[in-house]
């Protein structure tokens, strides 16, 4: 019996290092499944998958001097739309329900035009400072911010349906004292729900008999109706205010990854009013923590980090010292899944887009031109 116990203990000791190593293993290289190259021109670094990964939208500068938006399955024959009349160098492409929002940043402010599923280019929308996609409701959101005399701040919110129909054109004015104009003294804390709501703090009820005002309440301000929802008093105020501050960093997502204090890791903010440490299951020291990029993809978040592992060679055709590592995050459970990595020739990240089980990454081809490589995971 004693010899059996000794044997069991010896097996466990041998197994432990394997478990620890697998949890900290280097991500495996993603396998290319396709490629997009320019046909008689040059590819731009603005491109995007649709949510399912079925169609990829790319921009091509042609030898004739035109700018084309090409949409179709990677490797298949794309539908081509001439967008030269709107933009000579689109900043980014955003896909939503079969429509494509082409964003230009060539003037004093950004603007956007829509290409519909038939390839028709629509008229530009009002100019704005920044933009994002809302998944619930499905909408293109454009936001502008300006300072006014007296210290007020004005936020102009535009929301459009995928086909360009107007959902919302509304201004939110934050007074110099921090309260939202017309909100009965509600203090603005930050936007959420893709700028369609704002987190606010309002004074607690005043008791005339005791001459005491209750502790403040926190609630959501609906941008469209300019109404405030039911208030509540969080049991742990400091934790709640920490959540509010971090939630406002990226209000277009129901959950967002942020750098922890001191850049010692990452935290997951949301869903719900919670902030949790994020376990990447890979050695954090391998990564430049400031290179985080994240995209909402259905109920998951796909994110990337640039890895620097000095023991590697710097040749694109061999294992590289630098790599762009991809992860998938389930916000509900905070579980991170390692998807794989793509070798990089330098510590500079590359443009990428995710859709379905595919990731498209731009890189420089052997002939010096840009190509977009499709990886499956």
């Amino acid at each position: 019996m004693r010899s059996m116990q000794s044997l069991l203990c010896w097996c466990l000791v041998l197994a432990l290092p394997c478990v620890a190593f697998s949890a900290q293993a280097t991500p495996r290289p993603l396998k290319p499944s396709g490629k997009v190259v320019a046909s008689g021109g040059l590819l731009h670094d603005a491109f995007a998958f649709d949510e399912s990964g079925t169609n990829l939208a790319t921009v091509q500068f042609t030898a004739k001097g035109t700018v084309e938006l090409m949409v179709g399955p990677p490797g298949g024959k794309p539908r081509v739309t001439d967008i030269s009349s709107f933009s000579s160098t689109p900043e980014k492409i955003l896909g939503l329900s079969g429509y494509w929002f082409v964003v230009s940043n060539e003037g004093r402010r950004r603007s956007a035009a829509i290409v519909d599923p038939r390839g028709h280019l629509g008229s530009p929308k009002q100019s704005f400072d920044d933009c994002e996609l809302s998944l619930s409701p499905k909408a293109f959101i454009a936001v502008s911010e300006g300072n006014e005399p007296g210290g007020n701040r004005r936020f102009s919110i535009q929301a459009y349906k995928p086909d360009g129909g107007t959902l919302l054109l509304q201004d939110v004015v934050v007074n110099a004292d921090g309260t939202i104009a017309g909100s009965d003294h509600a203090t603005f804390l930050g936007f959420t729900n893709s700028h369609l709501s704002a987190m606010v703090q309002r004074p607690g009820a005043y008791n005339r008999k005791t001459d005491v005002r209750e502790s403040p309440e926190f609630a959501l301000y609906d941008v469209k109706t300019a109404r405030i929802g039911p208030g509540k008093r969080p049991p742990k105020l400091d934790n709640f205010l920490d959540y509010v501050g971090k939630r406002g960093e990226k209000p277009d997502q129901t959950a967002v990854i942020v750098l922890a204090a001191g850049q010692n890791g990452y935290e997951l903010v949301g869903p719900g009013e919670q902030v949790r440490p994020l376990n990447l299951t890979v050695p954090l020291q391998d990564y430049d923590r400031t290179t985080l990029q994240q995209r909402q993809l259905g109920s998951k978040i796909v994110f990337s980090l640039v890895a620097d592992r000095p023991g590697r060679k710097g040749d694109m055709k061999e294992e590289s010292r630098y790599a762009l590592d991809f992860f998938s995050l389930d916000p509900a459970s905070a579980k991170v899944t390692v998807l794989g990595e793509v070798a990089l020739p330098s510590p500079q990240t590359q443009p990428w887009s995710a859709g379905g089980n595919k990731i498209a990454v731009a890189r420089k081809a052997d002939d010096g031109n840009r190509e977009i490589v499709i990886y499956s995971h």
Side-chain angles (χ1 to χ4, degrees), residues 183-260:
S183 67
D184 194 22
H185 307 294
T187 300
F188 173 81
L189 299 177
F191 284 105
T192 187
N193 187 27
S194 293
H195 287 86
L196 298 178
S197 302
M199 297 172 285
V200 297
Q201 174 183 326
R202 60 186 179 187
Y206 174 69
N207 189 320
R208 293 180 180 274
K209 292 183 179 180
T210 60
D211 192 27
V212 174
R213 184 175 293 279
E214 296 180 359
S215 57
E217 295 181 331
F218 297 89
L220 287 180
Y221 172 89
D222 187 288
V223 170
K224 185 175 183 178
T225 64
R227 294 179 179 176
I228 299 177
K232 61 180 179 181
R233 297 181 178 88
K236 296 182 179 180
L237 182 58
D238 289 343
N239 291 352
F240 180 78
L241 293 178
D242 179 51
Y243 157 79
V244 168
K246 293 171 178 176
R247 183 69 187 88
E249 292 186 23
K250 199 169 177 58
D252 58 314
Q253 296 183 185
T254 55
V256 60
I257 304 168
V258 300
L259 266 173

Side-chain angles (χ1 to χ4, degrees), residues 269-346:
V269 183
E273 298 162 0
Q274 56 182 335
V275 179
R276 292 170 286 173
L278 204 58
N279 179 20
L280 295 187
T281 71
V282 291
L284 195 58
Q285 65 270 19
D286 283 359
Y287 297 94
D288 179 348
R289 295 162 207 178
T290 64
T291 60
L292 171 71
Q293 296 184 57
Q294 55 191 305
R295 311 276 194 277
Q296 184 84 35
L297 186 60
S299 61
K300 303 292 180 67
I301 295 175
V302 176
F303 65 98
S304 69
L305 290 166
V306 173
D308 180 2
R309 304 183 182 98
R312 296 185 174 188
K313 299 178 181 179
D315 187 340
M316 280 292 292
K317 296 181 180 179
E318 299 180 31
E319 197 175 33
S320 173
R321 166 180 174 174
Y322 305 105
L324 188 60
D325 286 11
F326 290 94
F327 308 84
S328 176
L329 166 67
D330 177 13
S333 64
K335 180 182 178 181
V336 176
T337 301
V338 180
L339 299 179
E341 70 176 25
V342 175
L344 293 175
S346 75

Side-chain angles (χ1 to χ4, degrees), residues 75-138:
K77 185 177 180 179
R79 186 195 66 235
V80 179
T81 301
D82 188 335
I83 59 173
S84 309
S85 60
F86 171 66
S87 175
S88 60
T89 51
E91 180 184 35
K92 56 185 172 182
I93 310 296
L94 299 172
L96 190 65
S97 300
Y99 294 80
W100 301 92
F101 288 81
V102 181
V103 179
S104 172
N105 190 17
E106 297 163 43
R108 296 179 58 186
R109 303 174 74 193
R110 290 180 171 90
S111 59
I114 305 172
V115 176
D116 67 22
R118 296 172 299 173
H120 176 260
L121 176 66
S123 301
K125 299 299 181 183
Q126 296 180 25
S127 59
F128 50 86
D129 292 339
D130 208 350
C131 61
E132 63 202 30
L133 290 182
S134 166
L135 299 181
S136 181
K138 288 187 177 295

